[in-house]
Amino acid sequence: MRCAVENLMRLENVSYRYHGKIPALSDVNLEVHSGDHIAIVGANGSGKSTLLQIMAGLRYPMTGRFFFNGTEVSERSLRDKGFLRCFRQSVGYVFQDSDVQLFCPTVFDEILYGPLQLEIGEEEGKKRAFEVMEMLNIEHLKDRPSYMLSGGEKKKVAIASVLAMNPQVLLLDEPTNGLDPKTQSFLVELMLALIEAGKTLIIGTHDLSLVDELRSNVAVLSENHRLVKIGKAEDVLSDEGLLLKVNLIHEHIHRHGEAVHKHIHSHYLFHRHEPQNRR
Amino acid sequence: MANKIPPFLLAPPTPCSIKQAKGKMRIPFLGRGINRLASVIREGYAQWDFSSQNGFFQKIDARVKILFLLFFILIVTLKRDVLPETYIWVFVFVLTLLSRLSIAKIYKRVLLFGFLFGFLIALPSAFNVITKGDVVLPIATLPRPYNFWIYHVPAEIGITREGIHGVAMLTMRVINSLSLSFLILYTTPFHEIVRALKVLKVPDSFLIIITLCYKYIFLLSKTVEDMHLAKRSRIVRELSPTEAREWVAGRIAFIFRKTRLRCEEVFKAMIGRGFSDTIRFCGFRKMRMLDWGTAVFLFLSGIFFLFI
């Protein structure tokens, strides 16, 4: 089995329901190639996190199938030690809630956990941990327990803990959520650098400015949990009708001086005041 | 930024092979158990909240159902014969069928708990060492009877008719009480049960504690499941039982800390919305004809079972 092939991940008619009742994904088809950078966008509750967790082999489709490098990822195949090792080595997942991801006594232990699991040697593991900490400017947090970190620091440590494993595919769930502007722009830079380095990057977000900055391919999830469009960022972001339909932008009524007017609005992409909208 | 990226991240991915490890993974008992427990809690709660609204019992006012539950549990406790208990079981079974609940799911649990907390607990009392009576099934014969402390061990040890009756009675009572409880729980959303408890003059402070517990057990079980997934995402080999225990211990500490913080936040949120000392629930909708009719029917059925 090879781990670096063109068609890296493939989802075929994947559906998922929570508790067997609440729909999260419906008939999703998606292909990811090596080196792709894809943003999965959709409103809250559209199924972005569920889709990413299926691609990380943490949940299994209720119907449909998910393939990694041509091998179906299932509870059964991930019981195979060889495949599990190959899959986890290749796919890293950063959770939306960093709190649940950090379980080691200190930041350094946290970052070292993955490399030690991969049995790459303690020296090499420590070298990686220090290098990643230096890149993310968190060396000073080395000996701190995770519960004594701020939200942004936790996110950085969570990303560092996954990067230290050097996965080929990086899945990031709402990476900029709840972060201050400085940390957000730092993350964007980091993601661009990783894309430049040839990593396969898949992010789940409803932050259209992030999609715009990364210039990723975009997969749009509708509120009824279907993948309604896959295309280039510029095509998707210019499709106002689609973005309105999936609730990623909205009509906004507000006052400018004495004039009250209505227009399509997103905090990042659209803020046009068209003459015909003026009242 | 690109300059700061460590060389190992820029290097082409290490080729991996499924041959680098052989065999099947065994999931440690603790890891599996904690995740299973969280998922059972969540699924149980979801089942509770999303139970079908189309059945007979789902349409009935929660106050009627709570009073029915207490009345029938009292009747089940008062009956002294197996046959009336069986009639009550059939009655509850028919109500469960009318409510379009999953018989297999409910009775799997009822029979399991009935077996554990009814049959197994009462089983020793079937022997003549504990319950005196006619031995119908001899088990062992000793050379002579023994007496020590308050116990008398007869020469012939066996199961008595009175013992069998006692075990059957206790098992039936447990099964009936469980069937009644599951019928109510699976047909009534939790918030309605809590409000219905007001009818029984349960103090509001107690009800608010139950409500908060219900909400936060659900939230914490979600956190536990997420933590389990987060660990799985970085596990590439089998964990030793010691490593699994260490992880569980660490996570228990985390949950404890998180619970304490959440508790403080919830209390602040309550104060922020005007909480002083009095807890108020909004009132019930008016009882309809169907509710009154059902209440009368269930009451008369209860009286019937009481006197047969």
Side-chain angles (χ1 to χ4, degrees), chain B residues 31-294:
Chain B
R32 202 173 53 225
I34 202 164
N35 186 44
R36 183 77 194 129
L37 182 66
S39 110
V40 163
I41 290 173
R42 280 185 305 102
E43 277 172 25
Y45 278 33
Q47 169 68 36
W48 207 345
D49 272 346
F50 297 103
S51 55
S52 160
Q53 298 295 309
N54 301 322
F56 165 64
F57 238 56
Q58 286 88 336
K59 292 175 188 157
I60 307 302
D61 191 286
R63 286 167 292 187
V64 175
K65 287 189 268 188
I66 291 293
L67 289 173
F68 155 74
L69 174 68
L70 293 172
F71 184 42
F72 267 68
I73 283 185
L74 183 72
I75 295 167
V76 164
T77 317
L78 289 174
K79 297 315 290 179
R80 302 221 165 264
D81 219 337
V82 175
L83 201 60
E85 292 281 359
T86 313
Y87 293 149
I88 294 172
W89 182 85
V90 172
F91 180 68
V92 178
F93 183 80
V94 170
L95 288 179
T96 311
L97 274 180
L98 288 174
S99 304
R100 296 183 189 177
L101 296 175
S102 164
I103 295 291
K105 198 179 263 184
I106 288 186
Y107 279 91
K108 197 170 76 182
R109 291 180 186 185
V110 166
L111 292 176
L112 175 72
F113 289 125
F115 177 76
L116 288 178
F117 300 110
F119 182 75
L120 278 188
I121 285 179
L123 188 61
S125 71
F127 291 87
N128 60 349
V129 178
I130 294 172
T131 309
K132 302 282 175 283
D134 306 332
V135 175
V136 289
L137 184 65
I139 303 286
T141 311
L142 302 175
R144 62 179 180 83
Y146 292 91
N147 287 302
F148 64 92
W149 197 26
I150 56 170
Y151 298 104
H152 169 74
V153 182
E156 188 188 36
I157 297 174
I159 293 173
T160 62
R161 183 172 288 112
E162 290 78 1
I164 292 173
H165 181 259
V167 171
M169 272 307 296
L170 191 72
T171 308
M172 281 306 290
R173 277 180 188 165
V174 172
I175 285 178
N176 277 342
S177 304
L178 283 167
S179 309
L180 284 161
S181 307
F182 277 117
L183 173 64
I184 303 303
L185 293 180
Y186 275 79
T187 54
T188 320
F190 179 78
H191 61 272
E192 278 191 32
I193 293 181
V194 169
R195 280 200 292 162
L197 288 174
K198 267 181 83 81
V199 177
L200 305 168
K201 303 289 177 202
V202 176
D204 284 353
S205 49
F206 185 71
L207 295 181
I208 205 86
I209 289 169
I210 295 177
T211 312
L212 287 176
C213 284
Y214 166 76
K215 288 255 185 290
Y216 290 105
I217 285 175
F218 186 84
L219 284 180
L220 289 173
S221 68
K222 174 86 182 76
T223 308
V224 169
E225 198 211 6
D226 283 347
M227 288 185 317
H228 179 77
L229 288 182
K231 189 187 71 163
R232 256 179 57 192
S233 72
R234 284 198 280 161
I235 292 288
V236 297
R237 61 178 173 84
E238 223 164 72
L239 286 185
S240 69
T242 314
E243 285 173 307
R245 276 197 300 275
E246 278 172 6
W247 182 81
V248 169
R251 296 295 79 192
I252 288 171
F254 170 81
I255 290 279
F256 183 72
R257 206 166 42 238
K258 191 143 184 146
T259 310
R260 194 177 54 79
L261 290 174
R262 183 57 61 91
C263 172
E264 284 170 15
E265 283 164 9
V266 168
F267 187 65
K268 282 178 197 161
M270 286 166 75
I271 288 176
R273 283 198 284 163
F275 170 74
S276 52
D277 275 341
T278 321
I279 297 149
R280 293 183 179 87
F281 282 102
C282 64
F284 266 102
R285 63 173 166 80
K286 274 191 169 177
M287 293 266 282
R288 297 162 305 164
M289 277 305 287
L290 179 70
D291 300 323
W292 283 114
T294 309

Side-chain angles (χ1 to χ4, degrees), chain A residues 23-75:
Chain A
L25 287 175
S26 189
D27 211 17
V28 169
N29 289 288
L30 183 67
E31 278 191 12
V32 180
H33 302 275
S34 188
D36 273 356
H37 45 111
I38 299 176
I40 298 164
V41 299
N44 290 338
S46 57
K48 302 184 292 292
S49 299
T50 310
L51 181 54
L52 288 176
Q53 288 186 1
I54 285 176
M55 293 169 97
L58 300 173
R59 296 188 187 278
Y60 309 106
M62 288 191 165
T63 57
R65 298 197 292 175
F66 165 51
F67 295 92
F68 175 74
N69 265 339
T71 304
E72 187 176 357
V73 180
S74 62
E75 203 164 0

Side-chain angles (χ1 to χ4, degrees), chain A residues 127-167:
Chain A
K127 191 167 161 263
R128 281 187 182 192
F130 279 114
E131 285 176 346
V132 171
M133 283 196 294
E134 194 187 338
M135 174 179 72
L136 296 167
N137 291 322
I138 51 172
E139 304 109 301
H140 61 290
L141 305 173
K142 182 173 143 295
D143 298 317
R144 217 183 270 182
S146 60
Y147 61 86
M148 287 176 74
L149 303 173
S150 71
E153 288 168 344
K154 278 180 192 165
K155 183 67 99 184
K156 281 184 177 177
V157 175
I159 292 174
S161 67
V162 172
L163 284 181
M165 294 173 81
N166 190 22

Side-chain angles (χ1 to χ4, degrees), chain A:
Chain A
M1 180 178 166
R2 291 168 299 129
C3 271
V5 290
E6 284 277 302
N7 194 346
L8 199 60
M9 290 176 160
R10 194 171 79 245
L11 290 108
E12 285 180 4
N13 309 107
V14 166
S15 297
Y16 191 88
R17 280 170 182 268
Y18 285 98
H19 318 299
K21 287 184 193 319
I22 308 162
L25 287 175
S26 189
D27 211 17
V28 169
N29 289 288
L30 183 67
E31 278 191 12
V32 180
H33 302 275
S34 188
D36 273 356
H37 45 111
I38 299 176
I40 298 164
V41 299
N44 290 338
S46 57
K48 302 184 292 292
S49 299
T50 310
L51 181 54
L52 288 176
Q53 288 186 1
I54 285 176
M55 293 169 97
L58 300 173
R59 296 188 187 278
Y60 309 106
M62 288 191 165
T63 57
R65 298 197 292 175
F66 165 51
F67 295 92
F68 175 74
N69 265 339
T71 304
E72 187 176 357
V73 180
S74 62
E75 203 164 0
R76 190 190 168 96
S77 64
L78 283 178
R79 287 243 174 96
D80 182 280
K81 285 180 181 172
F83 181 65
L84 175 85
R85 193 186 166 88
C86 179
F87 184 79
R88 295 275 177 247
Q89 186 179 330
S90 306
V91 181
Y93 178 62
V94 179
F95 281 70
Q96 186 176 351
D97 177 7
S98 311
D99 251 344
V100 299
Q101 199 172 345
L102 309 177
F103 50 79
C104 293
T106 65
V107 167
F108 186 65
D109 292 328
E110 196 66 60
I111 299 170
L112 200 56
Y113 185 86
L116 291 183
Q117 286 286 313
L118 292 175
E119 292 167 338
I120 59 167
E122 201 173 320
E123 278 312 304
E124 172 64 15
K126 281 182 180 171
K127 191 167 161 263
R128 281 187 182 192
F130 279 114
E131 285 176 346
V132 171
M133 283 196 294
E134 194 187 338
M135 174 179 72
L136 296 167
N137 291 322
I138 51 172
E139 304 109 301
H140 61 290
L141 305 173
K142 182 173 143 295
D143 298 317
R144 217 183 270 182
S146 60
Y147 61 86
M148 287 176 74
L149 303 173
S150 71
E153 288 168 344
K154 278 180 192 165
K155 183 67 99 184
K156 281 184 177 177
V157 175
I159 292 174
S161 67
V162 172
L163 284 181
M165 294 173 81
N166 190 22
Q168 184 187 359
V169 183
L170 205 56
L171 304 164
L172 303 170
D173 193 358
E174 300 284 6
T176 53
N177 225 13
L179 297 180
D180 59 62
K182 193 180 165 196
T183 316
Q184 278 189 25
S185 90
F186 172 83
L187 265 184
V188 171
E189 273 186 59
L190 174 66
M191 285 188 269
L192 286 169
L194 290 171
I195 290 168
E196 190 71 22
K199 298 278 175 211
T200 306
L201 191 76
I202 304 170
I203 59 168
T205 185
H206 51 234
D207 181 352
L208 297 182
S209 73
L210 180 63
V211 178
D212 191 36
E213 281 184 86
L214 294 177
R215 292 278 118 187
S216 308
N217 287 324
V218 183
V220 185
L221 278 171
S222 67
E223 284 185 308
N224 57 3
H225 319 287
R226 289 179 181 276
L227 209 51
V228 285
K229 183 164 181 172
I230 302 169
K232 293 202 172 299
E234 50 269 34
D235 297 335
V236 172
L237 295 180
S238 59
D239 192 344
E240 291 179 10
L242 173 73
L243 296 179
L244 260 176
K245 201 172 138 193
V246 298
N247 258 341
L248 279 167
I249 56 173
H250 58 103
E251 276 205 325
H252 181 54
I253 301 171
H254 69 153
R255 181 182 286 275
H256 269 259
E258 289 304 305
V260 174
H261 57 191
K262 185 167 79 173
H263 56 82
I264 290 173
H265 174 260
S266 151
H267 286 283
Y268 303 103
L269 292 175
F270 310 104
H271 198 104
R272 292 196 310 269
H273 297 151
E274 290 166 12
Q276 66 269 30
N277 282 339
R278 286 179 186 276
R279 295 197 260 151

